[in-house]
C-alpha cells in the first residue's frame, strides 16, 4: 500500500483484497464479486459500480451486511477492515501465499506431502545447501507460514 494513497482506509483495504486475494484461484472484477455476493445473499444491496466506488473512496459507508459478505467472500475476518494488526497479518499471509504460487514452491510442497519425517529432513538439508550455494539466507521453522498462523484453508 502506497504512503501517498489518500483514499480512506476502508477503500485501500478493500482494494488490496481485490488485488491480492484469489477466491477460487482467480482475480475477480467488481461486477463478478457483486454477482457472487447477491447469489449468496439475494437481499444484499451491492453492484459492481458500488464496489468500484468503495474501492476508490467515492463511497465510504457500506452496510455491516455488505462488509460481512465481502469478508466472507475473500476469506478474511471483518476485523480486517478496521484492525491494523489483523490487516497486516492478512496481507502478509496473502503475500506469502502469492510468493509460493509464483515461485513453484507449491509443486515442491505437493511432492513432499505424506513423506516420512526423516525423508523430509533429508530433503530439507539438501534444500538448505542449495540455498547457501545461491547466497540465500537460511530459513528456520519459525519463518514458515504454518508456524505463525492459520493454514491455507482456515480463515485469516
Amino acid at each position: 500500500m502506497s504512503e501517498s494513497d489518500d483514499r480512506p482506509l476502508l477503500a485501500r483495504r478493500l482494494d488490496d483484497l481485490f488485488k491480492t486475494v484469489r477466491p477460487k484461484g482467480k482475480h475477480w472484477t467488481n461486477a463478478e464479486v457483486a454477482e457472487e455476493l447477491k447469489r449468496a445473499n439475494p437481499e444484499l444491496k451491492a453492484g459492481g459500480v458500488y464496489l468500484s466506488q468503495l474501492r476508490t473512496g467515492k463511497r465510504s459507508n457500506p452496510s455491516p451486511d455488505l462488509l460481512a459478505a465481502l469478508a466472507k467472500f475473500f476469506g478474511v475476518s471483518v476485523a480486517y477492515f478496521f484492525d491494523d494488526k489483523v490487516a497486516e497479518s492478512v496481507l502478509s499471509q496473502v503475500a506469502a501465499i502469492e510468493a509460493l504460487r509464483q515461485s513453484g514452491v507449491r509443486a515442491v510442497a505437493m511432492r513432499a506431502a505424506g513423506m516420512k519425517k526423516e525423508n523430509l529432513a533429508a530433503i530439507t538439508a539438501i534444500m538448505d545447501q542449495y540455498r547457501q550455494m545461491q547466497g540465500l539466507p537460511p530459513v528456520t521453522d519459525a519463518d514458515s507460514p504454518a508456524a505463525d498462523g492459520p493454514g491455507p484453508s482456515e480463515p485469516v
Side-chain angles (χ1 to χ4, degrees):
M1 189 166 11
S2 168
E3 292 298 323
S4 64
D5 191 340
D6 59 352
R7 292 177 296 166
L9 183 61
L10 176 68
R12 293 191 313 255
R13 290 202 174 148
L14 181 58
D15 195 43
D16 283 342
L17 287 178
F18 270 87
K19 290 178 178 177
T20 60
V21 179
R22 296 183 184 182
K24 300 180 184 175
K26 69 174 231 166
H27 285 287
W28 293 75
T29 66
N30 296 319
E32 291 170 334
V33 171
E35 188 177 309
E36 289 292 314
L37 296 179
K38 287 183 200 173
R39 187 172 307 159
N41 183 355
E43 287 109 42
L44 193 64
K45 302 286 186 214
V49 172
Y50 183 63
L51 292 180
S52 175
Q53 291 172 334
L54 287 173
R55 290 176 67 185
T56 60
K58 290 179 182 167
R59 300 289 296 267
S60 60
N61 195 18
S63 71
D65 289 342
L66 177 57
L67 281 181
L70 285 164
K72 183 176 181 183
F73 177 80
F74 285 108
V76 300
S77 165
V78 176
Y80 163 82
F81 294 110
F82 308 105
D83 185 305
D84 291 342
K85 287 185 180 183
V86 171
E88 185 179 317
S89 174
V90 165
L91 293 177
S92 69
Q93 289 178 27
V94 168
I97 290 167
E98 183 61 21
L100 293 176
R101 183 180 290 128
Q102 288 181 1
S103 66
V105 173
R106 183 172 182 242
V108 174
M110 296 294 288
R111 286 171 177 81
M115 295 182 89
K116 292 181 182 177
K117 194 172 186 173
E118 57 270 12
N119 292 352
L120 288 174
I123 291 168
T124 300
I126 292 168
M127 291 175 72
D128 287 343
Q129 289 175 352
Y130 274 101
R131 287 185 63 81
Q132 185 178 18
M133 288 179 353
Q134 292 182 10
L136 296 171
V139 176
T140 64
D141 288 337
D143 294 332
S144 71
D148 63 331
S153 63
E154 301 174 51
V156 287

